[in-house]
């Protein structure tokens, strides 16, 4: 992760945690996002979300949100990522609370914790900041086709231990559940920009999986 993002994290930590521990927190994040198996859920993913947040934070739709809490959630939301487990979001949120102590009960930290846990299901949220965080996390679904295909291939590499037939079945089911939602995105700017392309991308990948091919073989 380059120096500007590290500087951003240190400043964010100082504003929200208001104490020591930035170095230890950063090292914990770097240990996670720097793991060899992070073909998608690595530092580049975090940088993409931070850049996406910067691009929209001034929009009227997002006025008044706690953007520091959103940034904290971005930094920590995939800090723990083990494809063999189902509690990664819970453990990522716990990592934030551990490093933020004794400020763990403060508003921004608790808000970020809730946003991190919300990424487990990406369910509709009543909280405006959470809606933005979730949309940022799903923006890749509406990316241009080559970017989307690179994303899908990277996810497959992260699940390399899963046999091909099981992968095709399971991944297609995940895509179908997303496609069955009335809206993929929970905020107007993201729906306007990404909804149509995301549905096209998801449907195309699902069709390819059911045809018996991976994105890399297509």
């Amino acid at each position: 992760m380059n120096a500007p993002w590290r500087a951003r994290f240190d400043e964010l930590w100082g504003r929200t945690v208001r104490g020591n521990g930035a170095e230890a927190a950063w090292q914990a994040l770097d240990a996670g996002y720097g793991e060899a198996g992070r073909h998608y859920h690595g530092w580049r993913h975090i940088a993409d979300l931070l850049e996406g947040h910067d691009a929209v934070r001034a929009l009227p739709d997002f006025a008044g949100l706690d953007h520091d809490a959103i940034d904290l959630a971005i930094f920590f939301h995939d800090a723990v990522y083990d494809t063999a487990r189902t509690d990664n979001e819970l453990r990522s949120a716990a990592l934030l609370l551990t490093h933020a102590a004794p400020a763990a009960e403060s508003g921004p930290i608790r808000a970020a914790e809730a946003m991190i846990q919300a990424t487990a299901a990406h369910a509709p949220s009543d909280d405006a900041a959470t809606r933005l965080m979730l949309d940022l996390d799903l923006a890749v679904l509406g990316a241009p086709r080559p970017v989307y295909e690179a994303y899908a291939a990277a996810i497959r590499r992260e699940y390399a231990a899963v046999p091909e037939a099981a992968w095709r079945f399971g991944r297609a089911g995940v895509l179908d559940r997303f496609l069955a939602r009335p809206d993929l995105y929970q905020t107007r700017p993201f729906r306007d920009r990404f909804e149509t392309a995301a549905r096209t991308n998801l449907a195309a990948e699902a069709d390819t999986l059911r045809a018996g091919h991976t994105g890399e073989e297509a």
Side-chain angles (χ1 to χ4, degrees), residues 76-127:
F76 278 87
H77 78 288
D78 284 325
V80 179
Y81 186 76
D82 181 345
T83 58
R85 299 182 65 114
T86 60
D87 61 349
N88 291 316
E89 294 81 9
L90 184 65
R91 294 165 70 209
S92 295
L95 186 70
L96 168 61
L97 297 183
T98 296
H99 284 280
E105 297 299 323
S106 68
I109 306 303
R110 283 301 183 184
E113 176 201 14
M115 285 184 246
I116 294 166
Q117 295 200 39
T119 64
H122 276 271
S125 175
D126 293 330
D127 177 68

Side-chain angles (χ1 to χ4, degrees), residues 1-16 22 25-34 38 41-51 53-54 57 67-80 92-93 95-96 112-113 115-116 119 133 136-137:
M1 195 63 160
N2 59 29
W5 297 122
R6 172 62 196 271
R8 176 169 175 160
F9 177 81
D10 286 346
E11 293 170 2
L12 174 67
W13 197 258
R15 288 194 304 272
T16 55
W26 180 266
Q27 292 302 324
L29 293 176
D30 198 37
Y33 292 121
R38 300 290 194 108
H41 292 92
W43 275 125
R44 184 63 255 170
H45 173 55
I46 302 307
D48 286 344
L49 266 64
L50 291 170
E51 291 168 359
H53 187 199
D54 288 347
R57 66 168 68 217
H67 292 284
D68 278 350
I70 294 169
D71 272 359
L72 274 176
I74 289 171
F75 271 112
F76 278 87
H77 78 288
D78 284 325
V80 179
S92 295
L95 186 70
L96 168 61
E113 176 201 14
M115 285 184 246
I116 294 166
T119 64
M133 166 61 191
L136 288 165
D137 199 29

Side-chain angles (χ1 to χ4, degrees), residues 168-190:
R168 292 199 306 268
F169 179 81
R171 175 71 174 173
V174 170
L175 302 180
D176 285 345
R177 288 191 288 276
F178 272 109
L179 286 166
R181 297 183 177 191
D183 297 298
L184 293 170
Y185 297 98
Q186 301 187 41
T187 67
R188 182 190 58 79
F190 280 77

